[in-house]
Coordinates of all heavy atoms in Angstrom, one line a residue:
H139 N -1.6 -32.4 -245.6 CA -0.7 -32.4 -244.4 C -1.5 -32.8 -243.2 O -1.1 -33.6 -242.3 CB -0.1 -31.1 -244.2 CG 1.0 -30.8 -245.2 ND1 2.2 -31.5 -245.3 CD2 1.0 -29.9 -246.2 CE1 2.9 -31.1 -246.2 NE2 2.2 -30.1 -246.9
Q140 N -2.7 -32.3 -243.0 CA -3.5 -32.7 -241.8 C -3.9 -34.2 -241.8 O -3.8 -34.8 -240.8 CB -4.7 -31.8 -241.8 CG -4.5 -30.4 -241.4 CD -5.8 -29.5 -241.4 OE1 -6.8 -29.9 -241.9 NE2 -5.7 -28.3 -240.9
E141 N -4.2 -34.7 -243.0 CA -4.5 -36.1 -243.0 C -3.3 -37.0 -242.7 O -3.4 -38.0 -242.0 CB -5.0 -36.5 -244.4 CG -6.3 -36.0 -244.8 CD -6.8 -36.3 -246.3 OE1 -5.9 -36.5 -247.1 OE2 -8.1 -36.2 -246.4
Q142 N -2.1 -36.5 -243.1 CA -0.8 -37.3 -242.7 C -0.6 -37.2 -241.2 O -0.4 -38.2 -240.6 CB 0.3 -36.6 -243.5 CG 1.7 -37.4 -243.2 CD 2.8 -36.7 -243.9 OE1 2.6 -35.8 -244.7 NE2 4.0 -37.3 -243.6
T143 N -0.9 -36.0 -240.7 CA -0.7 -35.8 -239.2 C -1.7 -36.7 -238.5 O -1.3 -37.4 -237.5 CB -0.9 -34.3 -238.9 OG1 0.1 -33.6 -239.6 CG2 -0.7 -34.2 -237.4
V144 N -2.9 -36.7 -238.9 CA -4.0 -37.6 -238.3 C -3.6 -39.0 -238.3 O -3.7 -39.8 -237.3 CB -5.3 -37.3 -238.8 CG1 -6.4 -38.3 -238.4 CG2 -5.8 -35.9 -238.4
D145 N -3.1 -39.5 -239.4 CA -2.6 -40.9 -239.6 C -1.4 -41.2 -238.7 O -1.4 -42.3 -238.0 CB -2.2 -41.2 -241.1 CG -3.4 -41.2 -242.0 OD1 -4.5 -41.3 -241.5 OD2 -3.2 -41.1 -243.2
E146 N -0.5 -40.3 -238.5 CA 0.7 -40.5 -237.7 C 0.2 -40.6 -236.2 O 0.6 -41.4 -235.5 CB 1.7 -39.4 -237.9 CG 2.4 -39.4 -239.2 CD 3.3 -38.2 -239.5 OE1 3.4 -37.3 -238.6 OE2 4.0 -38.1 -240.6
L147 N -0.7 -39.6 -235.9 CA -1.2 -39.6 -234.4 C -2.0 -40.8 -234.2 O -1.9 -41.4 -233.1 CB -2.1 -38.4 -234.3 CG -1.4 -37.0 -234.2 CD1 -2.3 -35.9 -234.1 CD2 -0.4 -37.0 -233.0
S148 N -2.8 -41.3 -235.2 CA -3.5 -42.6 -235.0 C -2.6 -43.8 -234.7 O -2.8 -44.6 -233.8 CB -4.3 -42.9 -236.1 OG -5.1 -44.1 -236.0
S149 N -1.4 -43.8 -235.4 CA -0.4 -44.9 -235.2 C 0.1 -44.8 -233.8 O 0.3 -45.9 -233.2 CB 0.6 -44.8 -236.3 OG 0.2 -45.0 -237.6
V150 N 0.5 -43.6 -233.4 CA 1.0 -43.4 -232.1 C 0.0 -43.8 -231.0 O 0.4 -44.5 -230.1 CB 1.4 -41.9 -231.9 CG1 1.8 -41.7 -230.4 CG2 2.6 -41.6 -232.7
V151 N -1.3 -43.4 -231.2 CA -2.3 -43.8 -230.2 C -2.4 -45.4 -230.2 O -2.5 -46.0 -229.1 CB -3.6 -43.1 -230.5 CG1 -4.7 -43.7 -229.6 CG2 -3.5 -41.6 -230.3
A152 N -2.4 -46.0 -231.4 CA -2.5 -47.4 -231.4 C -1.3 -48.1 -230.7 O -1.5 -49.1 -229.9 CB -2.6 -47.9 -232.8
E153 N -0.1 -47.6 -230.9 CA 1.1 -48.2 -230.2 C 0.9 -48.0 -228.7 O 1.2 -48.9 -228.0 CB 2.4 -47.4 -230.7 CG 2.8 -47.8 -232.1 CD 4.0 -47.1 -232.6 OE1 4.8 -46.5 -231.8 OE2 4.1 -46.9 -233.9
Q154 N 0.6 -46.8 -228.3 CA 0.4 -46.5 -226.8 C -0.7 -47.4 -226.2 O -0.5 -47.9 -225.1 CB 0.1 -45.1 -226.6 CG 1.3 -44.2 -226.9 CD 1.1 -42.7 -226.6 OE1 0.0 -42.3 -226.6 NE2 2.1 -42.0 -226.6
S155 N -1.7 -47.7 -226.9 CA -2.8 -48.5 -226.5 C -2.3 -49.9 -226.3 O -2.6 -50.6 -225.3 CB -3.9 -48.5 -227.4 OG -4.9 -49.4 -227.0
N156 N -1.5 -50.4 -227.2 CA -0.9 -51.8 -227.1 C 0.0 -51.8 -225.8 O 0.0 -52.7 -225.1 CB -0.1 -52.1 -228.3 CG -1.0 -52.4 -229.5 OD1 -2.1 -52.7 -229.3 ND2 -0.5 -52.3 -230.7
L157 N 0.8 -50.8 -225.6 CA 1.8 -50.7 -224.5 C 1.0 -50.6 -223.2 O 1.3 -51.3 -222.2 CB 2.6 -49.5 -224.6 CG 3.7 -49.2 -223.5 CD1 4.6 -50.5 -223.4 CD2 4.5 -48.0 -223.8
V158 N -0.1 -49.9 -223.1 CA -0.9 -49.8 -221.9 C -1.5 -51.2 -221.6 O -1.5 -51.6 -220.5 CB -2.0 -48.7 -222.1 CG1 -3.1 -48.9 -221.0 CG2 -1.4 -47.4 -222.1
E159 N -1.9 -51.9 -222.6 CA -2.5 -53.3 -222.4 C -1.4 -54.2 -221.9 O -1.7 -55.0 -221.0 CB -3.1 -53.8 -223.7 CG -4.4 -53.2 -224.1 CD -5.5 -53.4 -223.1 OE1 -5.6 -54.6 -222.6 OE2 -6.3 -52.4 -222.9
L160 N -0.2 -54.1 -222.5 CA 0.9 -54.9 -222.0 C 1.2 -54.6 -220.6 O 1.4 -55.5 -219.7 CB 2.1 -54.7 -222.9 CG 3.4 -55.3 -222.5 CD1 3.3 -56.8 -222.6 CD2 4.6 -54.8 -223.3
L161 N 1.4 -53.3 -220.2 CA 1.7 -53.0 -218.9 C 0.5 -53.4 -217.9 O 0.7 -53.7 -216.7 CB 1.9 -51.4 -218.8 CG 3.2 -50.9 -219.5 CD1 3.2 -49.4 -219.5 CD2 4.4 -51.5 -218.9
H162 N -0.7 -53.2 -218.3 CA -1.8 -53.7 -217.5 C -1.7 -55.2 -217.2 O -1.9 -55.6 -216.0 CB -3.1 -53.4 -218.2 CG -4.4 -53.7 -217.4 ND1 -5.0 -54.8 -217.5 CD2 -5.0 -52.9 -216.4 CE1 -6.0 -54.9 -216.6 NE2 -6.1 -53.7 -216.0
E163 N -1.4 -55.9 -218.1 CA -1.3 -57.4 -218.0 C -0.1 -57.7 -217.0 O -0.2 -58.5 -216.1 CB -1.1 -58.1 -219.3 CG -0.8 -59.6 -219.1 CD -2.0 -60.4 -218.5 OE1 -3.1 -59.9 -218.6 OE2 -1.7 -61.4 -217.9
Q164 N 1.0 -57.0 -217.2 CA 2.2 -57.1 -216.2 C 1.8 -56.8 -214.8 O 2.2 -57.4 -213.8 CB 3.4 -56.3 -216.7 CG 4.1 -56.9 -218.0 CD 5.2 -56.0 -218.5 OE1 5.3 -54.9 -218.0 NE2 6.0 -56.6 -219.3
L165 N 1.1 -55.7 -214.7 CA 0.7 -55.2 -213.4 C -0.3 -56.2 -212.7 O -0.1 -56.6 -211.5 CB -0.1 -53.8 -213.5 CG -0.6 -53.2 -212.1 CD1 0.6 -53.0 -211.1 CD2 -1.3 -52.0 -212.5
R166 N -1.2 -56.8 -213.5 CA -2.1 -57.8 -213.0 C -1.3 -59.1 -212.5 O -1.6 -59.6 -211.4 CB -3.1 -58.2 -214.0 CG -4.2 -59.1 -213.5 CD -5.1 -59.8 -214.7 NE -4.2 -60.6 -215.5 CZ -3.8 -61.8 -215.2 NH1 -4.1 -62.3 -214.1 NH2 -3.1 -62.6 -216.1
R167 N -0.3 -59.5 -213.3 CA 0.5 -60.6 -212.8 C 1.3 -60.3 -211.6 O 1.4 -61.1 -210.7 CB 1.4 -61.1 -214.0 CG 0.6 -61.9 -215.0 CD 1.7 -62.6 -216.0 NE 1.8 -61.6 -217.1 CZ 3.0 -61.2 -217.6 NH1 4.1 -61.6 -217.2 NH2 3.0 -60.3 -218.6
M168 N 1.9 -59.2 -211.6 CA 2.7 -58.8 -210.4 C 1.8 -58.7 -209.2 O 2.3 -59.0 -208.0 CB 3.5 -57.5 -210.7 CG 4.6 -57.7 -211.7 SD 5.4 -56.2 -212.2 CE 6.4 -55.8 -210.8
S169 N 0.6 -58.2 -209.3 CA -0.3 -58.0 -208.1 C -0.6 -59.4 -207.6 O -0.6 -59.6 -206.4 CB -1.5 -57.3 -208.5 OG -1.2 -56.0 -208.9
G170 N -0.8 -60.3 -208.5 CA -1.1 -61.7 -208.1 C 0.1 -62.3 -207.4 O 0.0 -63.0 -206.3
Q171 N 1.3 -62.0 -207.9 CA 2.5 -62.6 -207.2 C 2.7 -62.0 -205.8 O 3.1 -62.7 -204.9 CB 3.7 -62.3 -208.1 CG 3.7 -63.2 -209.4 CD 4.9 -62.7 -210.3 OE1 5.5 -61.6 -210.1 NE2 5.2 -63.5 -211.3
I172 N 2.4 -60.7 -205.7 CA 2.5 -60.0 -204.4 C 1.5 -60.6 -203.5 O 1.8 -60.8 -202.3 CB 2.4 -58.5 -204.6 CG1 3.6 -58.0 -205.3 CG2 2.2 -57.8 -203.2 CD1 3.5 -56.5 -205.6
G173 N 0.3 -60.8 -203.9 CA -0.7 -61.5 -203.1 C -0.3 -62.8 -202.7 O -0.5 -63.2 -201.5
E174 N 0.4 -63.7 -203.5 CA 0.8 -64.9 -203.2 C 1.9 -64.9 -202.1 O 1.9 -65.6 -201.1 CB 1.3 -65.7 -204.4 CG 0.2 -66.1 -205.3 CD 0.8 -66.7 -206.7 OE1 2.0 -66.8 -206.8 OE2 0.0 -66.9 -207.6
L175 N 2.8 -64.0 -202.3 CA 3.9 -63.8 -201.3 C 3.3 -63.3 -200.0 O 3.9 -63.8 -198.9 CB 4.9 -62.7 -201.8 CG 5.8 -63.1 -203.0 CD1 6.6 -62.0 -203.5 CD2 6.7 -64.3 -202.6
A176 N 2.3 -62.4 -200.0 CA 1.7 -62.0 -198.7 C 1.1 -63.2 -198.0 O 1.2 -63.2 -196.8 CB 0.7 -60.9 -199.0
E177 N 0.5 -64.1 -198.7 CA -0.1 -65.3 -198.1 C 0.9 -66.1 -197.4 O 0.7 -66.6 -196.3 CB -0.9 -66.1 -199.1 CG -2.2 -65.4 -199.6 CD -2.9 -66.3 -200.6 OE1 -2.6 -67.5 -200.9 OE2 -3.9 -65.7 -201.3
V178 N 2.1 -66.3 -198.2 CA 3.2 -67.1 -197.6 C 3.7 -66.5 -196.3 O 3.9 -67.2 -195.4 CB 4.3 -67.3 -198.7 CG1 5.5 -67.8 -198.1 CG2 3.8 -68.1 -199.9
V179 N 3.9 -65.1 -196.3 CA 4.4 -64.5 -195.2 C 3.5 -64.5 -194.1 O 3.8 -64.8 -192.9 CB 4.8 -63.1 -195.6 CG1 5.0 -62.2 -194.3 CG2 5.9 -62.9 -196.5
N180 N 2.2 -64.4 -194.3 CA 1.2 -64.4 -193.3 C 1.0 -65.8 -192.7 O 0.5 -66.0 -191.6 CB -0.2 -63.9 -193.8 CG -0.1 -62.4 -194.0 OD1 0.7 -61.7 -193.4 ND2 -1.0 -61.9 -194.9
D181 N 1.2 -66.8 -193.5 CA 1.1 -68.3 -193.1 C 2.2 -68.7 -192.2 O 2.1 -69.7 -191.6 CB 1.0 -69.2 -194.4 CG -0.4 -69.0 -195.0 OD1 -1.4 -68.5 -194.4 OD2 -0.5 -69.5 -196.2
K182 N 3.3 -68.0 -192.2 CA 4.5 -68.4 -191.4 C 4.1 -68.3 -189.9 O 3.5 -67.2 -189.4 CB 5.6 -67.4 -191.7 CG 6.9 -67.8 -191.0 CD 8.0 -67.0 -191.3 CE 9.2 -67.2 -190.5 NZ 10.3 -66.4 -190.7

């Protein structure tokens, strides 16, 4: 039972790790877009 629980937890951690990576990439892209918009606004 403990081995099964550890395997299930390992799967959950792997899924969460993938989600964190995805969210990190989205945040990086959005930060870049905000920076570009700030430049456009400041250049006006």
Side-chain angles (χ1 to χ4, degrees):
H139 287 294
Q140 287 178 352
E141 287 176 341
Q142 180 181 359
T143 300
V144 168
D145 289 342
E146 290 171 1
L147 290 173
S148 180
S149 294
V150 169
V151 169
E153 289 174 25
Q154 289 179 344
S155 177
N156 291 336
L157 180 59
V158 166
E159 287 297 321
L160 174 69
L161 293 173
H162 183 266
E163 178 60 25
Q164 289 177 345
L165 178 61
R166 187 190 64 74
R167 279 188 272 131
M168 291 173 75
S169 293
Q171 291 173 347
I172 289 172
E174 290 172 7
L175 288 173
E177 288 177 12
V178 169
V179 168
N180 290 334
D181 287 344
K182 183 178 177 186

